[in-house]
Amino acid sequence: MMLANDLKTYYDEVRRYLDCPKDEQDRLLLSVNKQVIELQVDNPNLDYDGIVEFLGEPESLAASLMERLSPDVVQKFKKKSVVFV
């Protein structure tokens, strides 16, 4: 159970760097979690550090996930995020 809590914290950190709508964040992180599950099936003794070594630091993982999104999705999100004062 400790691993699940650590991964949630890791995913929350990744989410902070994802500059896209929440549903896109959820979709991207779900795909990452599927990779982690497959990795654990192949390596049952894998611990949190091993998973982070596989995925990379949260900021770099988020950057690679953002590359998967279409520029339109990101652009529309950024326009909605702009707040005028």
Side-chain angles (χ1 to χ4, degrees), residues 7-8 11 13-15 21 24 37 41 46 52-53 55 60 69-70 75:
L7 282 175
K8 181 185 179 325
Y11 293 150
E13 182 73 11
V14 172
R15 191 180 293 276
E24 289 294 329
I37 291 168
V41 167
L46 193 65
V52 171
E53 186 177 315
L55 295 175
S60 63
L69 296 175
S70 80
Q75 194 63 32

Side-chain angles (χ1 to χ4, degrees), residues 46-79:
L46 193 65
D47 62 0
Y48 175 76
D49 291 335
I51 293 170
V52 171
E53 186 177 315
F54 173 76
L55 295 175
E57 291 301 314
E59 190 171 5
S60 63
L61 176 60
S64 68
L65 292 173
M66 288 296 294
E67 290 174 5
R68 296 183 189 177
L69 296 175
S70 80
D72 290 346
V73 169
V74 176
Q75 194 63 32
K76 286 178 185 173
F77 179 74
K78 287 185 178 188
K79 284 183 181 175

